[in-house]
Amino acid sequence: MFEHLVFNQIVNSATGRNLDYNIYNFRTRGGLEVDFILQLEGQRTAIECKFSESVSTMDVNTINKIDKYYKKIKKIIIYRGTRELKEDGVWILPLAKAMQTLGL
């Protein structure tokens, strides 16, 4: 359900602002899965949604594997916590701050 909330917020905000966007899921045959790849106004962002109030190092390591498929992609983990963190090049943000960071 949290993924759906994030998806709907992104789509509604981008549509309401008349921004050019594309959003899709990403999964490899090897099992790497990222909830969303968002292309917004030419900028690509990998987005992972976590319905927890904390994010593990394993979550950060998993989203960082997207670099193999997309060079220079921004990475955000959206979670239910309240702190804004950056770990190993990955932003870990509450939903409202993530939307602001995305320009939505």
Side-chain angles (χ1 to χ4, degrees):
M1 295 293 279
F2 187 62
E3 286 178 29
H4 292 281
L5 171 70
V6 172
F7 176 83
N8 285 332
Q9 189 65 46
I10 290 169
V11 169
N12 290 336
S13 294
T15 301
R17 288 178 171 78
N18 201 28
L19 299 173
D20 182 34
Y21 75 94
N22 192 4
I23 187 168
Y24 50 93
N25 301 96
F26 180 86
R27 183 180 171 123
T28 66
R29 289 182 185 174
L32 174 63
E33 184 178 334
V34 174
D35 291 330
F36 307 113
I37 302 295
L38 173 64
Q39 186 156 342
L40 180 66
E41 298 288 299
Q43 169 73 40
R44 268 198 196 123
T45 305
I47 300 171
E48 186 65 27
C49 304
K50 295 294 175 190
F51 187 68
S52 65
E53 294 183 6
S54 63
V55 173
S56 71
T57 301
M58 186 171 144
D59 295 326
V60 172
N61 292 341
T62 298
I63 198 169
N64 268 331
K65 291 178 182 176
I66 197 75
D67 288 337
K68 180 178 177 182
Y69 302 93
Y70 294 99
K71 303 298 179 202
K72 298 182 182 180
I73 190 169
K74 182 191 252 182
K75 294 165 283 212
I76 297 176
I77 297 176
I78 301 174
Y79 77 128
R80 290 185 344 149
T82 58
R83 296 179 56 209
E84 299 170 22
L85 308 164
K86 190 167 191 181
E87 184 178 324
D88 198 19
V90 178
W91 281 106
I92 302 166
L93 303 169
L95 178 57
K97 183 61 179 181
M99 295 300 290
Q100 183 181 13
T101 299
L102 291 168
L104 298 171

